[in-house]
Amino acid sequence: MTTKCHCKDIPAQELQNIQAALPGGQDIDRLSDFFKVFGDSTRLRILYFLSRHEFCVADLSALTEMQQSAISHQLKILRLHRLVKYRREGTTIYYSLDDQHVQKVFAIALEHITEGTGK
Amino acid sequence: MTTKCHCKDIPAQELQNIQAALPGGQDIDRLSDFFKVFGDSTRLRILYFLSRHEFCVADLSALTEMQQSAISHQLKILRLHRLVKYRREGTTIYYSLDDQHVQKVFAIALEHITEGTGK
DNA sequence: CTTATATATGAATATGTGTTCATATATTGC
DNA sequence: GCAATATATGAACACATATTCATATATAAG
C-alpha cells in the first residue's frame, strides 16, 4: 500500500523509497524472533553461564535455581535458534555457546542499560 | 543458593565464582526487558522507519499499515524504554530515535540472521 | 534384561502481551 | 466558547509463552 504523507515536509517519493527499503516481512519476523529469544531472563541467564563455561543440564538447573524440565525447554529454544550447541558424554549432555554474536549483543545491550543516571 | 556441580571436571570454587559474577537479578531483568522491546515486528518496523527519518504518528501508521491506536501504544513502550523521543508541532507529534545503540543492535542481529546457508 | 541416571517432551495452566474499539486529551482556528 | 484534527489511553479480547507435572527416551552398569 503506497502511503500518502500527512505531514508537510516529506516528499512522497522519499516516503515510498523508505517503505520499499524496509526489509521484507520474513526478515523482520526473523529479526524479532531472534530478539525474542533474548527477551526472557531465564534464557538470558543460561546464555550468560554458557558464555563463561560449558555446562550440563543439571548444572544449569542448579545455577539458575530452576527445574530441570524448565531448563530443557529453554535449551530447546536456544538450540532451534542456533545459539547453543551440545555434545553427549554418556547420559550427560554438555551445552555451550554456538554463536559469536551473543557476546557482542550482550555488550551493546549493557551499554544501553547502564547509560544515563544509573537508571 | 550455592550449587554443587554434578559434573566431574568443574571445581566447585569456579562454579561459585561464575554464579557470583552473574549480573544481579535486577540487571538481568532490565536486560531481558530491553530485548523484549525488539522482539515484536511492529516495534521493529517503527524503529526501522525512524532510523531513516523523523515521522509523525499518522505517517508511521500509514507506513506500517496498522491502526493509529496500535502505533500509539507501541510508541509509548518505545518512549518508556528511551528508544524514541518526540517533539510537538501543533497537534502533530514527530517521533525520532533516541538511542545510538539501536543501529548497532540491528547490525549485529542481521549478521546472525543472514549467516549460514541463507537459513 | 533390569535398574539407575540424565535429559527430553507433551499436556495443562497461569500469566503476559498486542490489537481493537471506544473515548479522552490536547492543540488550533474560528 | 465550539468544531476539527492529531494523538493518547483504558478496557476487553485473543493469542502467545514460561513453568510445572508426569512421563518418555536414551545411555550405562550390572
Side-chain angles (χ1 to χ4, degrees):
Chain A
M1 208 119 311
T2 308
T3 55
K4 187 165 77 73
C5 181
H6 299 241
C7 305
K8 50 183 182 311
D9 55 342
I10 306 174
Q13 183 56 43
E14 189 178 341
L15 253 200
Q16 228 169 323
N17 290 342
I18 289 175
Q19 192 182 34
L22 172 71
Q26 247 189 337
D27 290 334
I28 287 283
D29 286 342
R30 262 163 50 194
L31 254 185
S32 61
D33 281 347
F34 175 72
F35 286 120
K36 240 174 250 168
V37 178
F38 290 88
D40 175 81
S41 57
T42 300
R43 284 193 291 268
L44 222 48
R45 281 184 298 159
I46 291 175
L47 289 173
Y48 164 78
F49 287 126
L50 293 182
S51 77
R52 309 297 297 278
H53 202 287
E54 172 192 66
F55 283 111
C56 67
V57 178
D59 279 338
L60 289 172
S61 174
L63 284 165
T64 56
E65 298 172 36
M66 303 212 60
Q67 292 194 216
Q68 173 264 317
S69 175
I71 298 303
S72 276
H73 279 297
Q74 299 301 353
L75 284 172
K76 182 175 190 174
I77 293 175
L78 293 172
R79 252 187 289 127
L80 290 176
H81 287 269
R82 307 197 189 201
L83 292 172
V84 302
K85 59 176 186 277
Y86 63 94
R87 66 182 179 87
R88 176 183 283 275
E89 199 169 293
T91 60
T92 304
I93 297 187
Y94 292 92
Y95 280 86
S96 56
L97 289 190
D98 189 25
D99 194 287
Q100 328 82 292
H101 306 313
V102 172
Q103 311 259 13
K104 288 189 201 168
V105 171
F106 264 59
I108 289 174
L110 270 171
E111 271 182 56
H112 172 89
I113 294 299
T114 57
E115 86 182 355
T117 33
K119 173 191 167 192
Chain B
M1 210 119 314
T2 309
T3 54
K4 188 165 77 72
C5 179
H6 299 242
C7 306
K8 49 183 182 311
D9 54 342
I10 306 171
Q13 182 57 42
E14 191 179 339
L15 253 199
Q16 229 170 322
N17 291 343
I18 289 174
Q19 192 182 34
L22 172 74
Q26 247 188 337
D27 290 335
I28 288 283
D29 286 343
R30 262 164 49 197
L31 253 185
S32 60
D33 282 347
F34 174 73
F35 286 120
K36 238 174 255 169
V37 178
F38 291 88
D40 175 80
S41 59
T42 300
R43 284 193 293 269
L44 223 48
R45 281 184 298 161
I46 292 176
L47 288 174
Y48 164 78
F49 288 127
L50 294 182
S51 77
R52 309 296 299 278
H53 202 287
E54 173 191 66
F55 284 110
C56 68
V57 178
D59 280 338
L60 289 172
S61 174
L63 284 166
T64 57
E65 297 172 37
M66 302 213 59
Q67 290 195 215
Q68 173 265 317
S69 174
I71 298 303
S72 277
H73 279 296
Q74 299 300 354
L75 284 172
K76 181 176 190 174
I77 293 175
L78 293 172
R79 253 188 288 125
L80 290 176
H81 287 270
R82 307 193 188 204
L83 292 172
V84 302
K85 57 177 187 277
Y86 62 94
R87 67 183 180 85
R88 176 183 282 277
E89 199 169 294
T91 59
T92 303
I93 297 187
Y94 292 92
Y95 280 85
S96 55
L97 289 190
D98 188 25
D99 194 288
Q100 327 82 292
H101 306 313
V102 173
Q103 312 257 14
K104 289 188 203 170
V105 172
F106 264 58
I108 290 174
L110 270 171
E111 272 182 54
H112 172 88
I113 294 300
T114 56
E115 86 182 356
T117 34
K119 172 193 167 190

